[in-house]
């Protein structure tokens, strides 16, 4: 009896191994049961002894992979203290899982395009696996480790989506897999959700001194009024000589009139789009808004084309690459001006942006979720800019 059960288990695995090879090589739609049966040394009727149909094979492969991943992730998280350490380990494990059997990973990624996948037990296994990562994020949001995120799902989508896109490029274009990218992904994600710091751009000494004088004048004018404040007091409060004040401003009235110019410059840069950070945010928000307005197109892109090798070799995909090229050029300018980090990996930035977008889009399309992509686009743009700031 035991030997019969073992033989059955072995035969079922042989069928799944053959199906994995065929699905990966030809895609689910073009694969045939006869090819799968031949690879397993069976007739088609032999497959029906173990599996109902081709779709059952597909979902079984995916479910087994995801159940194994859940068990493995839980084991790796045992005994780890601190939410940051847990997230680092979870990202590493996820990258390792998605850099394993290339044929298997191709099938897992392709499954997102099948609507019936979302009614299968395989999808339940996916929810269980992603739920482990979601729980880590919830813990981090509750203890204040992660901030600037309205929902744990956004950060989860950022992690899973980034690795998905790296895996897509690995399986379709032989680009590097995600295993060696884990620490970079973790670093980028953590920077995106760190508590907000007051960012000050580096100033040259002259600009810094002028700002000190203006800030001193603002404080004293607000406290004592314009008439009862002297230039000497302003100088002392700014820790400069009185003569230095006159090097920047002709008199007290000139100083007061200059305050809005000094203070509103950053606001103007933001509103006008001159600020590099604002330009990136507007581009990302525009992408989300476009996907919101073009839901039918978005459905085709995210569910049908994203894992299609011919699409990645087409002129259509080149346009998407050009979209990020605009962001790359802005980042390069910001790096030269010490606004953005010089050590960021632009490929990971691209995968993070479009991977997050895809993962947010999938439930919006499949389950007709009511959330507003435009609002999420604004939040994702904020997180993206925080991740790349110097």
């Amino acid at each position: 009896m035991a030997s019969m059960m073992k033989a059955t288990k072995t035969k079922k695995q042989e069928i799944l191994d053959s199906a994995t090879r065929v699905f990966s090589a030809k895609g689910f739609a073009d694969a045939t049961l006869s090819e799968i049966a031949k690879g397993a040394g069976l007739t088609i009727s032999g497959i029906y002894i173990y599996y109902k149909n081709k779709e059952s094979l597909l979902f079984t492969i995916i479910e087994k992979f995801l159940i194994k991943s859940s068990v493995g992730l839980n084991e790796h998280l045992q005994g780890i203290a601190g939410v940051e350490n847990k997230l680092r380990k979870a990202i590493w494990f996820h990258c390792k899982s998605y850099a394993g059997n290339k044929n298997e990973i191709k099938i897992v990624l392709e499954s997102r395009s099948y609507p019936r996948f979302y009614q299968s037990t395989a999808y339940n296994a996916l929810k269980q696996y992603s739920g482990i990562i979601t729980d880590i994020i919830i813990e981090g949001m509750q203890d204040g480790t992660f901030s600037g995120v309205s929902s744990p799902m956004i950060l989860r989508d950022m992690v899973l989506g980034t690795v998905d896109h790296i895996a897509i490029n690995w399986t379709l274009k032989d680009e590097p897999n995600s295993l060696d990218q884990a620490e970079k992904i973790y670093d980028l994600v953590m920077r995106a959700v760190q508590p907000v710091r007051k960012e000050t751009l580096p100033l040259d000494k002259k600009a810094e001194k002028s700002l000190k004088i203006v800030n001193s004048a603002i404080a004293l004018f607000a406290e004592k009024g314009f008439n009862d404040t002297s230039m000497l007091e302003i100088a002392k409060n700014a820790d400069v000589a009185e003569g230095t004040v006159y090097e920047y401003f002709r008199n007290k009235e000139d100083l007061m009139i200059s305050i809005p110019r000094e203070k509103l410059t950053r606001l103007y840069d933001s509103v006008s789009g001159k600020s590099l950070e604002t330009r990136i945010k507007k581009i990302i928000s525009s992408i989300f808004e476009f996907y919101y307005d073009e839901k039918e197109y978005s459905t085709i892109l995210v569910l049908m084309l994203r894992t299609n090798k011919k699409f990645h070799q087409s002129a259509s995909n080149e346009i998407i690459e050009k979209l990020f090229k605009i962001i790359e050029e802005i980042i390069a300018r910001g790096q030269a001006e010490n606004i953005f980090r010089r050590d960021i990996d632009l490929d990971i930035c691209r995968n993070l942006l479009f991977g997050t977008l895809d993962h947010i889009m999938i439930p919006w399309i499949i389950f007709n979720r009511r959330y507003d992509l435009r609002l999420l686009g604004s939040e994702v743009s904020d997180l993206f800019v925080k991740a790349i700031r110097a």
Side-chain angles (χ1 to χ4, degrees):
M1 188 68 163
S3 60
M4 184 180 299
M5 290 178 62
K6 184 177 180 181
T8 298
K9 186 176 180 180
T10 300
K11 185 54 64 178
K12 289 179 74 174
Q13 188 58 51
E14 288 175 355
I15 295 170
L16 291 178
D17 290 342
S18 176
T20 300
R21 292 190 297 270
V22 176
F23 288 153
S24 175
K26 306 193 71 174
F28 174 75
D30 293 332
T32 65
L33 281 175
S34 61
E35 291 172 301
I36 295 169
K38 183 178 180 181
L42 294 169
T43 62
I44 293 179
S45 59
I47 289 182
Y48 285 124
I49 296 173
Y50 304 100
Y51 299 99
K52 290 191 300 182
N53 49 40
K54 189 171 70 167
E55 190 175 79
S56 173
L57 278 170
L58 175 71
F59 293 160
T60 300
I61 292 167
I62 298 166
E63 185 174 10
K64 285 172 68 70
F65 170 80
L66 291 167
I67 290 173
K68 180 181 177 182
S69 296
S70 291
V71 171
L73 179 54
N74 276 319
E75 287 178 351
H76 277 274
L77 290 172
Q78 290 297 314
I80 294 181
V83 71
E84 292 187 35
N85 293 328
K86 291 177 184 177
L87 184 63
R88 175 184 267 120
K89 175 57 76 172
I91 290 175
W92 174 85
F93 181 86
H94 188 58
C95 287
K96 181 176 181 293
S97 297
Y98 275 62
N101 183 322
K102 185 178 281 192
N103 290 336
E104 196 171 45
I105 301 305
K106 282 178 71 174
I107 294 169
V108 171
L109 294 170
E110 188 181 353
S111 68
R112 313 290 169 82
S113 64
Y114 306 126
R116 282 193 294 275
F117 166 72
Y118 299 92
Q119 285 87 47
S120 70
T121 55
Y123 180 63
N124 292 334
L126 175 61
K127 289 196 292 184
Q128 181 181 355
Y129 175 70
S130 63
I132 300 170
I133 298 174
T134 304
D135 287 343
I136 296 171
I137 295 166
I138 291 172
E139 181 184 345
M141 292 175 66
Q142 290 175 342
D143 70 12
T145 303
F146 307 143
S147 69
V149 187
S150 64
S151 164
M153 309 311 175
I154 293 178
L155 187 53
R156 180 205 63 195
D157 289 342
M158 185 175 286
V159 171
L160 300 182
T162 302
V163 178
D164 266 12
H165 265 242
I166 293 173
I168 288 170
N169 292 330
W170 172 55
T171 57
L172 298 184
K173 299 188 285 187
D174 288 324
E175 292 185 3
N177 64 36
S178 57
L179 186 55
D180 293 332
Q181 315 295 326
E183 193 61 26
K184 291 180 180 179
I185 296 169
Y186 169 77
D187 181 60
L188 204 60
V189 168
M190 282 304 302
R191 284 178 173 270
V193 295
Q194 288 296 301
V196 177
R197 304 183 305 274
K198 187 175 181 181
E199 300 292 336
T200 54
L201 298 181
L203 301 172
D204 58 41
K205 288 186 177 181
K206 187 174 180 181
E208 186 176 4
K209 194 168 290 186
S210 174
L211 186 59
K212 283 177 66 177
I213 294 169
V214 168
N215 286 336
S216 173
I218 289 171
L220 290 170
F221 289 161
E223 178 187 353
K224 301 177 64 176
F226 175 78
N227 291 328
D228 292 332
T229 300
S230 69
M231 292 289 265
L232 177 59
E233 289 174 306
I234 293 170
K236 286 183 177 180
N237 193 45
D239 196 26
V240 299
E242 184 177 4
T244 301
V245 179
Y246 288 103
E247 291 178 12
Y248 293 88
F249 307 98
R250 293 192 304 273
N251 50 46
K252 189 169 65 170
E253 184 178 38
D254 181 41
L255 173 52
M256 183 177 69
I257 292 171
S258 298
I259 288 173
R261 181 193 68 210
E262 296 285 342
K263 283 294 181 182
L264 293 177
T265 296
R266 182 168 297 189
L267 175 60
Y268 171 79
D269 287 347
S270 176
V271 172
S272 67
K274 184 179 178 182
S275 162
L276 298 180
E277 291 186 1
T278 301
R279 288 184 61 192
I280 289 178
K281 288 181 181 181
K282 285 184 176 178
I283 292 169
I284 294 174
S285 293
S286 294
I287 292 171
F288 272 81
E289 186 168 355
F290 175 79
Y291 278 54
Y292 174 85
D293 291 335
E294 298 282 350
K295 187 171 184 178
E296 290 81 6
Y297 157 78
S298 303
T299 301
I300 294 169
L301 175 63
V302 175
L303 296 185
M304 302 176 194
L305 293 178
R306 191 62 82 188
T307 58
N308 185 302
K309 187 170 185 177
K310 290 182 180 178
F311 166 71
H312 284 268
Q313 299 168 340
S314 70
S316 296
N317 188 56
E318 289 178 10
I319 298 174
I320 294 176
E321 294 294 328
K322 286 179 181 178
L323 280 174
F324 192 76
K325 195 69 179 176
I326 297 172
I327 297 176
E328 281 187 6
E329 291 168 358
I330 298 171
I331 291 174
R333 282 187 55 194
Q335 289 173 323
E337 297 176 23
N338 293 320
I339 297 171
F340 302 134
R341 295 167 54 199
R342 294 177 182 272
D343 64 338
I344 53 176
D345 187 314
L346 291 175
D347 286 336
I348 292 181
C349 286
R350 182 184 66 247
N351 290 319
L352 181 142
L353 174 57
F354 290 113
T356 303
L357 174 59
D358 279 5
H359 262 251
I360 289 173
M361 289 290 300
I362 288 172
W364 186 71
I365 294 167
I366 294 293
F367 302 116
N368 200 27
R369 293 282 165 80
R370 296 295 182 185
Y371 48 72
D372 192 330
L373 279 184
R374 296 164 298 186
L375 294 177
L376 290 179
S378 177
E379 186 170 338
V380 170
S381 70
D382 287 341
L383 293 171
F384 184 88
V385 166
K386 280 180 65 181
I388 65 173
R389 276 182 185 149

